[in-house]
Amino acid sequence: MEFPTYELSPWNYILTAPAIFSYPIIPENYVHWTQTPESHIFSADLPGVRKEEIKVEVEDSKYLIIRTEAVDESTVPGRSFMRKFRLPGMINIDEISAGYEDGVLTVTAPRSITRRGLLIDPAAVPERLEVLARAA
């Protein structure tokens, strides 16, 4: 059995060379966004941040804000983080939930209306349709 071989692109070597980029290509405050038919999911890597320091809020029913802030004035959060996202129009704001596990924050914003396919039963359609009005 022969296994296929893959060649890396020259761009792979150029973009990962430490002499060219001394900083990571993905920024520290990167939030991954995915969508499913039922919801929008935002996930952020926040290692070293305690659960009490994370604040998730909705502003003006339009914006989702994820940030870290100190628990009290004498402490400093483990990491400074702030991102603001515009929410899509069909979101159920009352059911937005968040969970923090193993340094990853996951915010789920469920859709208010689930799109469904339209099913027409052929047996329910009459064989002959009556025209009620003619076009002018």
Side-chain angles (χ1 to χ4, degrees):
M1 181 174 178
E2 198 171 310
F3 294 104
T5 58
Y6 298 101
E7 293 184 27
L8 292 175
S9 167
W11 288 107
N12 187 38
Y13 298 108
I14 293 172
L15 291 176
T16 58
I20 296 174
F21 296 106
S22 60
Y23 55 89
I25 293 179
I26 297 176
E28 285 186 21
N29 62 350
Y30 177 75
V31 175
H32 185 259
W33 169 76
T34 57
Q35 64 177 337
T36 64
E38 296 84 26
S39 62
H40 295 271
I41 301 169
F42 301 89
S43 60
D45 290 332
L46 299 172
V49 177
R50 296 187 331 225
K51 185 177 182 177
E52 299 82 29
E53 297 173 339
I54 300 171
K55 187 169 185 180
V56 178
E57 59 186 348
V58 176
E59 179 181 277
D60 297 333
S61 299
K62 293 180 185 179
Y63 301 101
L64 174 70
I65 301 172
I66 303 171
R67 66 177 165 199
T68 58
E69 44 178 55
V71 178
D72 54 23
E73 290 80 26
S74 64
T75 62
V76 177
R79 180 176 168 194
S80 177
F81 183 88
M82 197 282 200
R83 290 294 308 267
K84 186 174 185 177
F85 302 94
R86 181 164 174 83
L87 291 170
M90 296 177 14
I91 293 295
N92 189 350
I93 294 173
D94 296 329
E95 293 185 13
I96 291 177
S97 63
Y100 185 66
E101 186 176 335
D102 297 329
V104 178
L105 173 70
T106 304
V107 179
T108 304
R111 295 177 190 253
S112 59
I113 299 174
T114 305
R115 294 183 182 175
R116 295 186 178 107
L118 179 64
L119 177 66
I120 299 175
D121 185 15
V125 178
E127 289 189 28
R128 183 173 176 182
L129 296 175
E130 184 177 332
V131 179
L132 297 177
R134 294 198 176 267

